[in-house]
Amino acid sequence: QIIVFAGSNAATDNRFNGVIGLAAYQNGNWALEPPILIATGLNTELELPHFVFRDGLYYLFWCTQSHTFSPEVVGVTGLYGMVAPTIRGPYRPLNESGLVICNPMSMPSQSYGWRVAGDLQVVSFLNDAALGSKSEKFIGTISSKSVIELNGERVKRSSSQVSLV
């Protein structure tokens, strides 16, 4: 049994210190393992980590927000991912950058909290929606579903619904 979790790198005083860790159940106790992803110097928030096992590969996904990146890094709010042959790695970024899905530039806080299910449906939390030409309104509900396709280190959206749920 293994638990995946988001955390902070205690071995650094850099405020951009996000990690994704594992804990394994061994001999009746939970034991921390070395982090499988370390973002020290890049990002402080690697939220909602989760796996999808597909075609013999482990796909690790997480969410982050644009304001949690180091000032030296240009990053967007979105769903990010990596792929590895084992749950402990070594991990390689999906789509070269790790970015899987992001909000449109015109609505940078539109969605958050993306989750990829085993059938590759993706759902998130809908924060804001455009009403009219410039206004935004807090929605606070589940967003429309998307479906992704995984192919090794490449991932793309195969379908998306535009309507609000």
Side-chain angles (χ1 to χ4, degrees), residues 5-18:
F5 62 91
S8 299
N9 186 348
T12 182
D13 58 1
N14 189 314
R15 82 176 206 143
F16 300 97
N17 60 3

Side-chain angles (χ1 to χ4, degrees), residues 131-152:
L131 300 173
S133 61
K134 294 184 181 180
S135 63
E136 294 182 6
K137 181 179 179 182
F138 179 72
I139 301 297
T141 191
I142 302 292
S143 70
S144 298
K145 294 178 196 171
S146 295
V147 178
I148 59 172
E149 295 176 15
L150 299 173
N151 184 10

Side-chain angles (χ1 to χ4, degrees), residues 1-7 19-24 30 36 46 48-51 60-62 87 91 115:
Q1 295 175 329
I2 292 179
I3 294 174
V4 61
F5 62 91
V19 300
I20 294 178
L22 294 178
W30 287 99
I36 57 173
L46 309 175
L48 305 172
H50 59 286
F51 291 103
L60 171 64
F61 295 99
W62 71 92
I87 200 166
Y91 281 91
R115 299 290 289 186

